[in-house]
Amino acid sequence: VTGTPGVGKTTVSLELARKTGKNYVDIADIVKREKIYKGYDDVTDSLIVDTAKLKKYLRNLLTCNEVIDTHVVEAVPQEKVTHVFVLRLDPVQLMKRLEQRGYRASKIRQNVEAEILDSILIDSVKLFGTEKVFEINTTGKDVSEIVQIIYSILQGNVEEFKPGNVNWLQKYYFLLEQQ
């Protein structure tokens, strides 16, 4: 389960793991706990993940029977993934959610831009292909509805959730123009 920070990855991943009986794997927690980072970036207010080292670590850890929670999709070994669920959220709601979390203005802007520009969706498709990637608009949905959509996809209802079904750029291009 992936998506821009603030879209609901952790909440959905925890509930999906609970309902399926699979282990929950929080990549951010692993990065911090195992110190799999190169340093800290003050501009982005985040750790600089050592993706090669993390990928090696995950190859040894993952069994293909986990629910993985991450926005660092490039560090997840392709052979350990059967489905990629990219959660999407209306950028205005995302902005409000990140403000409530106390994110700095520059960090909010970076994440809202990433959401509008499909950054994580594009990375996911490049790495895992369109057959494994599914895009879910979480706007206005509660956790149980999102988990039900994931179950639906796992049962073969895939067309409606193929990459490209969410288009924030058309609706929110004006936000990218604001400084």
Side-chain angles (χ1 to χ4, degrees), residues 26-50:
D26 181 345
I27 301 297
D29 183 55
I30 290 170
V31 167
K32 292 173 195 165
R33 185 180 68 241
E34 300 297 325
K35 296 181 176 38
I36 307 176
Y37 51 86
K38 299 175 182 178
Y40 188 82
D41 185 336
D42 291 323
V43 175
T44 62
D45 194 23
S46 58
L47 293 172
I48 303 167
V49 177
D50 185 334

Side-chain angles (χ1 to χ4, degrees), residues 87-103:
L87 304 185
R88 306 298 303 275
L89 181 65
D90 182 284
V92 171
Q93 288 187 12
L94 178 62
M95 189 181 325
K96 290 176 184 172
R97 194 175 284 178
L98 296 177
E99 286 170 352
Q100 290 171 344
R101 288 184 180 183
Y103 279 41

